[in-house]
Amino acid sequence: MQPMTSRASFPGHSGASLAARLDMPNGRVRAFALFAHCFTCSKDLIAVRRIAADLARAGIAVLRFDFTGLGSSEGEFASTNFSSNVADLLAAADWLRENHAAPALLIGHSLGGAAMLAVAADIPEARAVVTIGAPADADHVLANFDADLATIERDGQADVTLAGRSFRIARQFVDDVRGVRLAERIKAMRKPLLILHSPRDETVSIDNATAIFIAARHPKSFVSLDGADHLLTREADAAFAASVIAGWASRYLEADAPQGQSAIEHVRVTETGEGKFQNAVQAGPHRLFADEPVSAGGLDTGPSPYDFLSIALGACTSMTLRMYADFKKIPLGRISVDVSHAKVHAKDCADCTDEERRSAKRIDRFERVISVEGDLPADLADKIEEIAGKCPVHRTLEGSSKVKTVVKGR
């Protein structure tokens, strides 16, 4: 089975090997997406990783790579320009087309968004395009060079400090971005476009989103990333962007489908490669994360394994009570179940049997608190407790279960 996040490489525009990562869904792939990162950034930017992981949860595989001379890719950054980035994107699309399927969704962040707008018309299989904090003109990046721009134009090159790192920028880069007519390419691409931009973006102002929107043909959409910074460094902002992209793109991609059509129920859990403990969980058509809290070394992107056990007990309890109330025609208010889990010494457990108390072992103790909205007759409380004890998950946890393990390839 292919890992959730795998390494890949392919030759870029100059023949240099470009380093990439492919984030795969845990199950059926609805479509492949190609992600272009921001100027001087890399495929491993936190926001890029988060968005790719969340899209994979929605069944969309994402290829993210480092442009020539950046991150883990080979080549000289000083010899690159906007046109070479576009050529690298075409090389990435070719690799996807040859090894999996051509990208149906194109996503670009900042200058990577401008590059996606420029290349979209040249990827015929692409059904939709998304930009995040993208400039309306490629030469917008020159504003980052400040006084170094004059040195570049006079001497042919200069070392420019960007985000605390030094990059050698040649005059051919400046000439290249100045020659790009992005508005014409946006109008010619004729693909659905989603523009995500923060009104508070201090790197690429919101006016750029307006210009892109005006240049694009319908269908086109704009969603404000209010409160976000340019790099979407807050986890909540990246998660919101991913959810919007997945929801919007669903109109142009194949619908998600259950993991299998057979009557056999099963759940698949697979490591994502992100963090120490993060796993992608698929139960039928449903996708979510399992993880551990940050305090335990995880990323806290989903419930812990014991949280899932508590969820199962709480959900089963609520459902069992609702089925009983409906069957008996009891007007029971909305049910809530709070479940907490702890490991306690058997000798200290008030609810344990004598045999359990004689044991020196620690046992799992689940405490369940059931709340019902509205007035609850006193004589019904005991019945609710009795029926809760008949919940199948309750019986499973209190009974003896057998776990059979099969290791493939043994």
Side-chain angles (χ1 to χ4, degrees):
M1 180 171 56
Q2 186 171 5
M4 286 294 296
T5 301
S6 60
R7 297 177 184 272
S9 63
F10 52 87
H13 75 281
S14 65
S17 179
L18 304 187
R21 287 188 180 273
L22 182 61
D23 297 270
M24 293 289 290
N26 184 18
R28 176 178 174 272
V29 178
R30 297 170 59 194
F32 283 83
L34 180 58
F35 200 122
H37 61 70
C38 57
F39 182 57
T40 72
C41 297
S42 83
K43 66 182 183 306
D44 296 315
L45 186 73
I46 292 176
V48 176
R49 291 166 52 191
R50 288 172 177 164
I51 291 173
D54 282 358
L55 289 177
R57 284 180 61 191
I60 301 170
V62 181
L63 179 69
R64 47 190 170 99
F65 72 98
D66 293 329
F67 286 109
T68 299
L70 290 173
S72 301
S73 289
E74 298 177 349
E76 292 294 327
F77 177 79
S79 66
T80 66
N81 51 40
F82 185 78
S83 296
S84 71
N85 284 353
V86 169
D88 282 347
L89 284 173
L90 287 173
D94 286 341
W95 183 86
L96 272 177
R97 189 180 290 113
E98 294 168 4
N99 292 275
H100 297 278
L105 180 62
L106 306 178
I107 308 169
H109 179 206
S110 193
L111 192 64
M116 278 302 190
L117 292 171
V119 80
D122 298 322
I123 303 177
E125 301 93 339
R127 302 174 199 164
V129 182
V130 180
T131 63
I132 306 170
D137 289 298
D139 63 358
H140 181 279
V141 71
L142 300 182
N144 297 313
F145 298 170
D146 297 324
D148 293 317
L149 183 58
T151 303
I152 295 170
E153 294 177 325
R154 183 188 69 242
D155 300 339
Q157 63 181 17
D159 290 330
V160 179
T161 301
L162 302 168
R165 297 172 57 201
S166 180
F167 296 89
R168 177 152 296 183
I169 306 295
R171 184 162 52 201
Q172 59 87 19
F173 180 97
V174 176
D175 295 339
D176 182 72
V177 295
R178 283 175 173 167
V180 175
R181 298 292 178 264
L182 199 55
E184 298 173 5
R185 300 192 188 187
I186 295 171
K187 186 176 181 179
M189 73 178 186
R190 296 179 180 274
K191 298 180 188 292
L193 173 65
L194 171 62
I195 303 166
L196 300 174
H197 211 112
S198 171
R200 302 182 183 183
D201 193 328
E202 297 180 354
T203 303
V204 179
S205 71
I206 190 66
D207 294 341
N208 287 270
T210 302
I212 293 172
F213 190 88
I214 292 172
R217 297 177 182 269
H218 285 292
K220 53 186 176 181
S221 305
F222 169 77
V223 174
S224 174
L225 299 176
D226 191 25
D229 59 20
H230 182 65
L231 294 180
L232 274 64
T233 51
R234 289 195 313 174
E235 182 177 355
D237 294 327
F240 174 73
S243 66
V244 171
I245 293 170
W248 176 84
S250 292
R251 298 183 64 88
Y252 308 104
L253 306 178
E254 291 185 23
D256 205 356
Q259 179 176 326
Q261 301 299 328
S262 67
I264 299 174
E265 296 181 1
H266 81 275
V267 171
R268 176 177 293 168
V269 181
T270 309
E271 285 187 311
T272 65
E274 297 294 332
K276 186 177 181 180
F277 298 117
Q278 188 188 76
N279 277 258
V281 180
Q282 182 171 2
H286 308 291
R287 294 183 173 91
L288 59 158
F289 283 146
D291 206 339
E292 290 285 358
V294 174
S295 60
L299 300 176
D300 200 21
T301 55
S304 71
Y306 276 107
D307 286 338
F308 275 108
L309 273 178
S310 297
I311 290 167
L313 178 60
C316 182
T317 300
S318 178
M319 294 174 185
T320 300
L321 291 172
R322 180 55 58 198
M323 289 175 63
Y324 174 79
D326 289 350
F327 179 73
K328 292 294 187 177
K329 299 187 176 357
I330 300 173
L332 202 61
R334 186 165 60 178
I335 302 165
S336 297
V337 184
D338 292 289
V339 180
S340 58
H341 167 263
K343 286 186 177 292
V344 298
H345 286 287
K347 63 181 181 180
D348 299 324
C349 177
D351 300 321
C352 292
T353 64
D354 291 338
E355 182 180 349
E356 288 172 330
R357 288 196 187 93
R358 286 194 294 270
S359 170
K361 295 180 180 179
R362 294 170 67 90
I363 66 169
D364 291 282
R365 183 175 187 275
F366 292 87
E367 181 172 327
R368 176 174 53 189
V369 178
I370 302 170
S371 304
V372 179
E373 284 188 356
D375 296 330
L376 182 66
D379 60 345
L380 193 57
D382 289 341
K383 194 63 178 179
I384 286 177
E385 183 177 351
E386 176 190 339
I387 298 303
K390 296 180 180 181
C391 153
V393 173
H394 178 129
R395 291 179 172 178
T396 297
L397 289 173
E398 285 198 334
S400 297
S401 299
K402 174 67 176 176
V403 178
K404 179 183 178 181
T405 302
V406 177
V407 179
K408 289 187 175 181
R410 176 178 291 177

